[in-house]
Amino acid sequence: MATPDTRTQILDAAEHLFAEHGYRGTSVRAITKLAGANLAAVGYHFGSKAELMAAVARRVIEPINAAQCTRLDKLLARTPGPPVSELVEAFAGPLFDEMPADDEGGARTSRLIVTILSDPAEEARNWTGPAENTVRERYLAAFARALPGLSPQELRFRMRGILAVTAVDRLEVHQQPSPGCGSPAVGEAARRWAITFLTAAMSAPPTQT
């Protein structure tokens, strides 16, 4: 097996440390030390710590986005108005696929997504570009057709909830259960439960203001 190049080693180290310690809690020095690279390598390959964060996030998210687009294309080819349950499956399914319970890479992905959703640092959130925005807007439009009573703001909130619930669930399966708590469900059962729960949450009546 070929030895990873310096850029890949930096990405691997940064993904691990950003997921464990957040953006501000991770120094460039710690990243290069773990990667076995010199400090100048981050600037040479990425330009800045913020651009490195963006590269790490895109490497993790782009396969998920591609799978989400493929599934949405298949749904829309069959009908212009897929039901909520099928839209939720198409949107959340790739998250389960990329965060399997028995894989360390899946554990890192789940930790990183939770970091992206919760880290107070702007750099952890402001990495998205046109490709990521296109996926989000396509799903927003599809959900809006299926749920015409929801405002765009509440619809966006509920879609963020799909990401949060799935990432936290996947993160839990990689951690030791707390004393007195049962082990979290893994495999197909967890996926089915999540789709059922998220479909109900997305389909709830609009919140009265």
Side-chain angles (χ1 to χ4, degrees):
M1 182 180 295
T3 301
D5 59 24
T6 299
R7 187 178 189 278
T8 300
Q9 289 175 320
I10 292 172
L11 281 170
D12 290 344
E15 181 181 329
H16 174 81
L17 293 173
F18 285 145
E20 291 292 337
H21 306 294
Y23 181 81
R24 291 175 182 161
T26 300
S27 68
V28 171
R29 184 176 297 277
I31 292 169
T32 53
K33 180 179 179 181
L34 183 60
N38 60 57
L39 281 171
V42 169
Y44 175 79
H45 288 284
F46 302 98
S48 67
K49 179 182 170 184
E51 287 301 317
L52 174 56
M53 177 73 214
V56 167
R58 290 193 182 108
R59 188 175 70 157
V60 167
I61 299 298
E62 282 177 355
I64 296 173
N65 285 166
Q68 288 171 328
C69 277
T70 297
R71 293 186 184 207
L72 183 59
D73 287 341
K74 289 180 179 178
L75 286 181
L76 296 179
R78 194 183 74 229
T79 173
V84 174
S85 60
E86 293 185 2
L87 288 171
V88 170
E89 170 66 42
F91 188 72
L95 292 163
F96 280 89
D97 294 340
E98 291 295 323
M99 294 184 280
D102 56 353
D103 180 69
E104 177 55 31
R108 287 197 306 273
T109 297
S110 61
R111 288 194 293 267
L112 186 66
I113 291 176
V114 170
T115 295
I116 291 170
L117 291 171
S118 62
D119 198 311
E122 290 184 7
E123 293 86 348
R125 302 186 304 276
N126 293 343
W127 56 270
T128 58
E132 294 79 24
N133 293 338
T134 296
V135 176
R136 183 178 64 250
E137 294 303 320
R138 290 189 67 203
Y139 270 93
L140 280 167
F143 276 118
R145 289 192 294 270
L147 300 165
L150 288 180
S151 69
Q153 295 81 4
E154 186 163 7
L155 189 55
R156 288 176 186 272
F157 173 84
R158 294 187 185 189
M159 281 188 62
R160 288 198 301 273
I162 294 178
L163 291 172
V165 167
T166 307
V168 170
D169 173 76
R170 296 295 83 198
L171 180 61
E172 187 180 21
V173 303
H174 298 286
Q175 297 174 336
Q176 293 295 323
S178 301
C181 296
S183 298
V186 299
E188 191 58 31
R191 188 188 190 112
R192 291 198 307 270
W193 294 349
I195 298 304
T196 299
F197 171 77
L198 293 168
T199 297
M202 289 296 294
S203 303
T207 303
Q208 298 299 314
T209 57

